[in-house]
Amino acid sequence: MMRAAVLTAAIAAAPSPAPEIPAALELVYQGHVDAALGRLRALSAARPADPLAAYALALALCWKVEERAELDTLDREVVAAATDAIGRADAILDGAPTDVAALFARGAAHGALSRFHMFREHRRDAAREAVQMREDLARVRELDPQHHDALFGLGLYDYYADVLPRAAKVVRFLARMPGGDRRRGLASIEDAGARSAFHRTEARVQLYEIHAFYEDRPERAMDALDSLRKEYPTHPLWALKTLEHLRARLGAYGEAVAAGRAILARSARGEENYKGPWVPALARLEMGHALVSDLRPEEARPFLLAVVANGLPGNPGGLTRARFLLGLSLERAGDRAEALPHYQSAAAGTEGEWREWARDAVSSPLPPERVRALAALGNARRRRDGNRATEAIAFAGEALRLWPQSMEAALTLVEDRLGRGDAAGARASWPRADARQVAETPWLRAWEWLLEAEADDLEGRRAEAVQQYKKVLQDAYRRADLRRRAEAGSKAPFSPRPVGVRFPPRRGISTALSTT
């Protein structure tokens, strides 16, 4: 599915903009979008010949539209502000065709239009505006090779024009879009993130999106989110994105629940931007999802029940998801009859993906063996957290007997055999080709890479082992234990040590279970 900002994000501004403009945009990232819009509307009106002021207004409006996607009341104002910026720039360029600031503002305004159209899935319009953006910003770089803000826009074009899926490449063909270059684009965006004068923050937002959704580099994405959350602590957007990323792309369920608890505490204190119903509702939804994924269905249920009871203001799709997850938490706990009404409610909901999964759940119950396997796997995780390796291995074995496709159960046994120096036994226990669990537990990828490296070491294939250790070091999914072992293995070959499962307790679970 195409994401909101896939062809362009807001481009940076001219090298020396009026300081009021970037100061107003900073309010957007701090979570004060309405205040930013008030200032930028006034600035644009007070500076009627300045295309940059109109562009900045269009940019802030894009953020507002994306914040309230269910409303279309601001759509015309976005287009009007960007079109106004283009008209103001044209008036300058008619008399001074090499005016860098005007060229930049016009290209940036086309970029804002492309961003808006892509968010609303007007893909042909988005492609057309992106081409126009590229032409103006390429000319800016010809005239001023050190214009890092123009490089940001060109980098976005280069990157997304190269990585868009097949359907979008049809749009590119229809719009006669020039091809892109993924590597060059990513390098340009990173450069802009470090050196752009106006939209360093926009570059970091894009780097998060790129690493999370296109490059499959969740640790790099988390680094970008960490910096945004620390610089703009008043905006719940960054805290909520962190919670979602910890759950969905790192599988760090305990940390996700702890992050959700921190959000709920800020909401309970009445902190600005955290007040009102939607922030705590979204936090509870993510916390419930994390606990379901962590095979703690009973602990997930109070969070999900609170969402279902109170609703999600302005987010009916989130309510569909909550209903589905509530059903799943009940079915995984062995209560199919109680789960079914929630599945049926979700199946009649508005959000396509969750609605379809709910319909599947209505017609296809979990086999009893899978329910028991998930309970055994949950017990294995709890014993592993408590450093009770022997019991964890026994529960994993039971889970694998009931569910032979369980990747996590198989890897638990593989690790135990490698620790005993039994490379042949480890290979025999390796997850089946049809193993299915990574989507819900992403860090299993890094665990398998590490165990593959250790098996290669035991079998005397040192070069292959080093390559696998490097994969873990590139992205350990925020698992410090995996990274430590990969660092040690990259320096010296793995040697057996029968310690069983070696995962330390995961942070956050013990303190994160309040529903307040």
Side-chain angles (χ1 to χ4, degrees), residues 1-4 6 119 121 123 164-165 213-214 351 353:
M1 180 178 181
M2 306 280 291
R3 292 193 60 80
V6 295
F119 182 75
E121 298 190 353
R123 294 178 183 173
L164 287 177
F213 300 103
Y214 295 96
E351 209 286 327
E353 183 178 53

Side-chain angles (χ1 to χ4, degrees), residues 250-331:
L250 291 170
Y253 307 121
E255 290 183 61
V257 176
R261 181 176 174 79
I263 292 171
L264 294 181
R266 298 183 72 173
S267 177
R269 289 195 297 268
E271 289 190 25
E272 190 175 6
N273 294 332
Y274 285 78
K275 294 184 290 187
W278 73 273
V279 171
L282 287 173
R284 287 189 177 98
L285 178 57
E286 284 295 340
M287 294 165 79
H289 197 163
L291 287 163
V292 170
S293 298
D294 202 28
L295 305 179
R296 295 174 176 265
E298 292 86 357
E299 295 166 16
R301 207 164 302 135
F303 294 103
L304 298 170
L305 283 168
V307 175
V308 168
N310 299 314
L312 270 169
N315 189 350
L319 192 57
T320 302
R321 176 183 165 200
R323 284 282 192 187
F324 170 78
L325 289 170
L326 185 54
L328 188 62
S329 74
L330 287 159
E331 187 167 26

Side-chain angles (χ1 to χ4, degrees), residues 25-99:
L25 284 174
E26 278 292 292
L27 292 173
V28 172
Y29 312 124
Q30 293 165 4
H32 308 299
V33 181
D34 290 335
L37 287 173
R39 287 195 192 182
L40 288 167
R41 288 185 179 115
L43 282 168
S44 184
R47 302 166 64 92
D50 183 357
L52 189 59
Y55 156 68
L57 174 59
L59 169 58
L61 286 164
C62 282
W63 277 88
K64 182 67 174 181
V65 166
E66 292 164 11
E67 180 183 281
R68 297 298 306 275
E70 75 281 4
L71 303 177
D72 60 4
T73 52
L74 291 176
D75 287 13
R76 288 185 180 180
E77 190 178 359
V78 174
V79 175
T83 303
D84 184 21
I86 292 167
R88 295 181 187 190
D90 284 340
I92 296 170
L93 293 166
D94 283 345
T98 59
D99 187 296

Side-chain angles (χ1 to χ4, degrees), residues 403 405-407 432-439:
W403 183 23
Q405 292 90 355
S406 172
M407 184 176 184
R432 292 170 26 160
D434 62 348
R436 292 290 182 272
Q437 211 179 335
V438 167

Side-chain angles (χ1 to χ4, degrees), residues 409-434:
L411 292 178
T412 302
L413 301 183
V414 167
E415 178 161 85
D416 177 59
R417 283 150 180 73
L418 289 174
R420 300 174 187 277
D422 181 6
R427 291 294 186 190
S429 303
W430 215 266
R432 292 170 26 160
D434 62 348

Side-chain angles (χ1 to χ4, degrees), residues 19 106 156-157 168 219 250 258 262 267 286 296 383 460-461:
R106 188 172 71 180
L156 288 168
Y157 182 97
E219 281 195 308
L250 291 170
S267 177
E286 284 295 340
R296 295 174 176 265
R383 299 320 189 269
R461 290 195 297 273

